[in-house]
Amino acid sequence: MNRTLDQVAVGEEMRVSAVAGAEAAPEWLRWLEEIGFIAGERVRVMAKGFPCADPLVVRIGQSTFALRRAEAACVRVVPAAAAEPVRDEALEACRA
């Protein structure tokens, strides 16, 4: 099942399958890739803020970041146990 990072439960281990910039902020694509969100990387949501699950504390590789839900929605993920990640070239826009 292909989901976005903002939809992942705390503690669930996933693998990045694709990243896209938000329609209102296309520069997020480059920024997310620069900090390590590239296809194939393992990622885990460590915590979510209260009350609106914003921001998310996310671990990718050996780094931990706080991402806004809108930024996390730009990262498409698959379960880490799944076979090789499928590159989702058609990922057009994420929720702003």
Side-chain angles (χ1 to χ4, degrees):
M1 174 171 21
N2 218 353
R3 296 183 281 173
T4 55
L5 189 56
D6 64 312
Q7 300 169 330
V8 174
V10 172
E12 198 173 355
E13 190 165 344
M14 305 297 283
R15 193 177 292 273
V16 175
S17 63
V19 180
E23 189 173 311
E27 67 277 6
W28 288 359
L29 169 61
R30 182 181 186 135
W31 175 72
L32 287 165
E33 288 176 339
E34 285 176 353
I35 64 173
F37 290 89
I38 56 174
E41 280 295 319
R42 288 182 182 263
V43 62
R44 180 186 305 248
V45 175
M46 305 299 289
K48 292 184 178 185
F50 181 80
C52 299
D54 203 11
L56 287 77
V57 178
V58 178
R59 180 110 174 138
I60 184 142
Q62 298 298 313
S63 301
T64 304
F65 298 98
L67 296 181
R68 292 175 283 191
R69 275 188 14 201
E71 295 163 340
C74 295
V75 181
R76 190 153 304 272
V77 294
V78 295
E84 288 297 307
V86 177
R87 195 140 176 94
D88 187 354
E89 306 268 343
L91 185 63
E92 296 166 334
C94 59
R95 290 173 280 190

